[in-house]
Amino acid sequence: MTFDWQAAWGAAPALLRGLATALQAAALGYVIALVLGLGFALLRRSGRRWVRLPVAFFVEFVRSTPLLVQLFFLFFVLPTVGIELSAMATGAIGLGVHYATYTSEVYRAGIDGVPAGQWEAAKALSLSRGRTWTRVVLPQAVPRVVPALGNYAIALFKDTPQLTVITIAEVLSVVKAVGSQNFQYLELITVAGVLYLITALVIAWPVRVLERRYRRESA
Amino acid sequence: MSTGLWLRLLDGLLVTLELTVFGAAIGLVFAFAAGLARLSPNRVLRGVALAYTEGFRGLPALVVLFWLVFALPGLGLQLEPLFAGVLALSLNIGAYGAEVVRGAVVSVPTAQLEAATALNFTPWQRMRLVVLPQALVAMVPPFGNLLVELLKATALVSLVYLQDLTFQGQIVRAATGDTAATFAGLLVGYGVIALVLTRLVKLVERRAAASLGHTTRPRAVEGAR
């Protein structure tokens, strides 16, 4: 059996629609990851132990367990406790919470990188805690971690095929649906792989540019 | 829950550990081959290694796995399922590992290389006696992170009907009907395995640092010793 180019070409539109769905889920998930990750990072610096420790435990736990099982858990268990969400919302939350545990480490490194003198200066100017964070610390901490955050956008996108298990019509779901009719899995999965590769490279491009720019500035 | 179901979970646990151990072992081979090839003076070797690392870091592990299991038979090649699982996981983790190897080798101070050259070492002696002993130590912590990533990725094989911990968990869920407890239990199970792996890596880390005469943490003075 050889590669059937006709079949590969014919499946492209359906696969592209799957890719659009995957990108939508990834974008939603990434927004959640960026916001929630910052929240985790701030809570882990809290002066109160009963805030700091449970958040640290949650972050470590979520980061060391498979996203796949987390997706199953959210998709099948949330409805039993009365939380009815669409598959897309569940998927975005699953991806978002999982990657928030990674972005929180990135933010943490960024915050730790702000020199102690900046904190002391804020204190000397008797800035409030809120102003110290929003005007002094975060504006210095966040820009330098943008490339690292960007890398997790790529990683998050590459985890979207797992959304197939919670009935989201992303690329792999299309592969399975079309493949069950024509059995041309070789062509379907190969084209799907090429699509992922191209998309990942396209997302990676601005991240690499930012990385280089930052490295030049810090050099 | 009946004994039979517990035995299933135990079987699944063994498959998961098998995938993690073999995936890590073969992944290390890929990582060193590609990571060192990236630094080779040979352009062809460098190009192949670059294509491998960029390619597999751009491809989802699940898609690679599906390709090996469902697409490859279309080209007349049917792999043993467990082998396909290990291969997909190790190709994926090896691409990330290659960057770790490359980074660690590059991070060895230039003065060390110059010293080796001044002592008239051959390139191979320089690599074996000067560069690698230092680079290996730097590789341990990032490899530890990758090991946990690998453990998490093993759950994907349940989607190609390999009977790992997640797969058996699905069976238990169907048999008991207790969805919340089963998936929560699975997550705790993976969490515990990850914790054990992390502890083991920390031990290796301390050993490795000690081999270079470093201590990971400056010790407080504890009386006269």
Side-chain angles (χ1 to χ4, degrees):
Chain A
M1 215 168 127
T2 49
F3 198 88
D4 183 350
W5 289 101
Q6 199 97 41
W9 189 244
L15 291 172
L16 280 173
R17 272 197 300 279
L19 184 63
T21 308
L23 283 170
Q24 190 193 341
L28 287 171
Y30 192 54
V31 171
I32 296 175
L34 286 181
V35 175
L36 197 61
L38 183 58
F40 286 154
L42 295 178
L43 289 175
R44 282 187 81 164
R45 294 182 64 97
S46 163
R48 297 184 188 85
R49 265 165 72 113
W50 55 268
V51 174
R52 198 169 62 223
L53 292 181
V55 172
F57 177 81
F58 180 80
V59 167
E60 295 299 328
F61 182 71
V62 171
R63 205 178 35 186
S64 57
T65 53
L67 172 66
L68 184 69
V69 183
Q70 292 167 7
L71 288 172
F72 280 133
F73 185 88
L74 290 175
F75 190 67
F76 291 111
V77 177
L78 285 186
T80 64
V81 294
I83 304 172
E84 301 272 357
L85 293 173
S86 69
M88 182 55 96
T90 310
I93 291 172
L95 284 170
V97 173
H98 193 82
Y99 277 93
T101 64
Y102 288 90
T103 56
S104 77
E105 290 298 299
V106 173
Y107 284 121
R108 200 154 74 131
I111 294 167
D112 287 345
V114 175
Q118 297 289 325
W119 291 91
E120 290 160 6
K123 198 167 202 173
L125 293 169
S126 71
L127 295 183
S128 68
R129 260 170 67 94
R131 276 180 99 79
T132 305
W133 276 108
T134 56
R135 295 297 172 84
V136 180
V137 178
L138 291 180
Q140 297 183 74
V142 175
R144 74 177 84 188
V145 297
V146 167
L149 291 174
N151 277 323
Y152 285 116
I154 307 166
L156 186 150
F157 167 71
K158 286 196 310 161
D159 270 344
T160 57
Q162 297 180 41
L163 297 177
T164 182
V165 300
I166 59 168
T167 73
I168 292 178
E170 51 65 64
V171 183
L172 224 45
S173 302
V174 174
V175 167
K176 285 192 283 187
V178 179
S180 66
Q181 288 162 21
N182 65 12
F183 298 103
Q184 285 173 315
Y185 287 104
L186 171 62
E187 291 77 6
L188 287 165
I189 304 175
T190 306
V191 175
V194 172
L195 284 180
Y196 279 113
L197 199 55
I198 293 173
T199 314
L201 289 175
V202 169
I203 305 176
W205 187 59
V207 177
R208 300 279 167 268
V209 171
L210 284 172
E211 252 172 7
R212 262 199 304 274
R213 185 175 304 165
Y214 173 64
R215 212 171 294 153
R216 238 192 340 247
E217 276 169 13
S218 65
Chain B
M1 218 167 94
S2 71
T3 328
L5 290 179
W6 281 109
L7 285 177
R8 273 190 166 277
L9 287 178
L10 190 63
D11 279 345
L13 174 66
L14 289 178
V15 173
T16 293
L17 292 178
E18 228 167 44
L19 285 161
T20 309
V21 171
F22 289 123
I26 301 176
L28 270 180
V29 175
F30 285 133
F32 274 93
L36 294 178
R38 285 283 306 272
L39 299 165
S40 155
N42 184 321
R43 274 176 66 165
V44 178
L45 268 181
R46 259 199 334 257
V48 170
L50 184 71
Y52 164 67
T53 51
E54 289 300 309
F56 280 90
R57 286 193 309 157
L59 279 170
L62 186 56
V63 173
V64 176
L65 186 63
F66 265 51
W67 199 86
L68 289 179
V69 174
F70 298 122
L72 208 48
L75 292 172
L77 188 59
Q78 185 96 47
L79 300 178
E80 185 76 22
L82 190 65
F83 177 70
V86 168
L87 187 60
L89 292 171
S90 53
L91 280 169
N92 179 264
I93 213 74
Y96 290 91
E99 288 300 295
V100 171
V101 171
R102 194 179 69 94
V105 168
V106 171
S107 76
V108 173
T110 330
Q112 296 279 333
L113 303 180
E114 291 165 359
T117 309
L119 290 170
N120 210 14
F121 279 17
T122 64
W124 169 239
Q125 282 178 319
R126 189 172 70 179
M127 184 54 97
R128 189 168 56 94
L129 299 171
V130 179
V131 177
L132 279 184
Q134 300 181 65
L136 285 174
V137 174
M139 289 176 205
V140 177
F143 272 153
N145 291 340
L146 287 181
L147 188 60
V148 175
E149 293 299 318
L150 174 65
L151 166 70
K152 286 160 58 182
T154 60
L156 299 177
V157 302
S158 65
L159 301 180
V160 295
Y161 313 115
L162 262 167
Q163 309 197 343
D164 76 325
L165 190 55
T166 302
F167 183 93
Q168 301 291 15
Q170 299 279 14
I171 306 256
V172 169
R173 167 179 167 253
T176 61
D178 196 342
T179 305
T182 310
F183 287 136
L186 272 186
L187 287 173
V188 171
Y190 279 104
V192 170
I193 305 172
L195 194 65
V196 172
L197 290 178
T198 315
R199 283 288 143 85
L200 287 175
V201 173
K202 277 273 180 307
L203 272 178
V204 176
E205 213 176 300
R206 212 167 311 149
R207 278 262 167 110
S211 77
L212 286 185
H214 301 165
T215 46
T216 38
R217 168 169 32 131
R219 249 169 226 262
V221 182
E222 300 166 45
R225 271 208 301 171

